[in-house]
Amino acid sequence: EDMELLDSDKDVKFFEQLSKAGTIVHYVGEQDGGIVIVSMEDDKNRKFQRAIIRTAKEDTRLLVTTMSVGKRIKALCNQCPDLHQYKLVKIKKELTDPWTQELLKVESQMVERTYKFGVLYAKPGQTIEDEFFNNVDGSDAFYHFLSCFSSKVQLNGWKHFRGGLDVKTGTTGEFSYYQIHKGCEIMFHVSTLIPYYPKDTQQV
């Protein structure tokens, strides 16, 4: 095997990590209006190089386990047969940094870094969604569960990702639960912490 798949998680800023690791090289190819961009580490002292292949369809993140530049390109083409249709041209050294900066911008626009999730509490015996939404408080076990993967935060004056919650006037409650995971911000909308409105069965 000359290559293996890396970081299938698309929310990982793989190219940003690649650009900070050391010297990289870019190749570009075109065929029948389609364009491919290959970015790869260029460390002659290492036995493997990380690479990313970008097409209009998808990005593929790889580990190329060979040192020779020529063998690296051959390995890429052998393991990714679609690359055979492109004539890869190496980007000149003086243009590498501008290309890197533009590709970093593209990646930052494609990778989602903020998420919001709804959390409902169901009392014993409750089976209907409307019942879940109308619970005004949760059990100690429920809040302990939330604390296992997030932290309780005060919404008033909250300066980080709010996920649509009101951080000024308190219309969505006083507290919520928040976490940062692998550089991603997550705000949980906890139904029991959002003010209860009797006429709204789903508390929207």
Side-chain angles (χ1 to χ4, degrees):
E1 284 287 320
D2 292 310
M3 184 185 332
E4 60 183 82
L5 186 65
L6 285 179
D7 288 328
S8 59
D9 182 357
K10 299 305 181 184
D11 287 334
V12 173
K13 287 192 173 182
F14 180 83
F15 183 70
E16 180 180 295
Q17 297 173 3
L18 190 68
S19 66
K20 291 179 178 178
T23 305
I24 60 175
V25 292
H26 302 298
Y27 300 86
V28 63
E30 183 176 2
Q31 177 67 26
D32 296 330
I35 295 176
V36 63
I37 299 173
V38 178
S39 302
M40 190 184 310
E41 287 180 304
D42 187 26
D43 188 342
K44 297 177 176 61
N45 296 317
R46 297 175 60 180
K47 294 182 179 180
F48 62 90
Q49 313 289 333
R50 289 177 297 175
I52 180 169
I53 302 173
R54 302 174 185 270
T55 64
K57 182 181 178 181
E58 62 182 354
D59 292 352
T60 305
R61 304 156 181 199
L62 306 162
L63 183 66
V64 184
T65 54
T66 182
M67 292 179 66
S68 166
V69 174
K71 289 183 178 179
R72 266 185 266 159
I73 298 302
K74 184 177 180 180
L76 280 168
C77 291
N78 287 340
Q79 295 295 322
C80 299
D82 288 346
L83 284 179
H84 282 295
Q85 63 182 304
Y86 300 96
K87 182 179 180 181
L88 295 177
V89 177
K90 184 178 179 180
I91 299 301
K92 294 180 179 179
K93 187 175 182 179
E94 60 268 25
L95 296 177
T96 297
D97 284 345
W99 271 69
T100 298
Q101 294 306 312
E102 288 301 315
L103 291 171
L104 284 169
K105 291 179 183 178
V106 171
E107 183 178 71
S108 67
Q109 295 169 359
M110 295 176 63
V111 176
E112 184 60 61
R113 310 301 292 173
T114 55
Y115 298 87
K116 58 183 179 181
F117 295 100
V119 185
L120 292 174
Y121 172 65
K123 292 181 179 180
Q126 290 185 333
T127 58
I128 300 173
E129 190 178 76
D130 287 351
E131 294 176 329
F132 306 159
F133 276 107
N134 282 277
N135 289 324
V136 296
D137 198 7
S139 65
D140 290 341
F142 175 66
Y143 293 115
H144 174 71
F145 166 72
L146 287 169
S147 68
C148 289
F149 52 81
S150 58
S151 299
K152 190 176 183 180
V153 298
Q154 185 169 3
L155 291 176
N156 186 34
W158 181 249
K159 300 299 184 182
H160 302 285
F161 174 64
R162 62 187 182 90
L165 296 178
D166 183 359
V167 297
K168 294 182 178 179
T169 61
T171 59
T172 56
E174 186 178 357
F175 298 98
S176 192
Y177 280 79
Y178 170 87
Q179 182 62 283
I180 296 178
H181 179 67
K182 293 185 177 180
C184 296
E185 293 185 272
I186 305 169
M187 179 62 80
F188 295 93
H189 289 212
V190 183
S191 62
T192 57
L193 296 178
I194 296 175
Y196 176 73
Y197 300 101
K199 293 184 179 181
D200 185 354
T201 58
Q202 289 198 347
Q203 301 303 307
V204 177

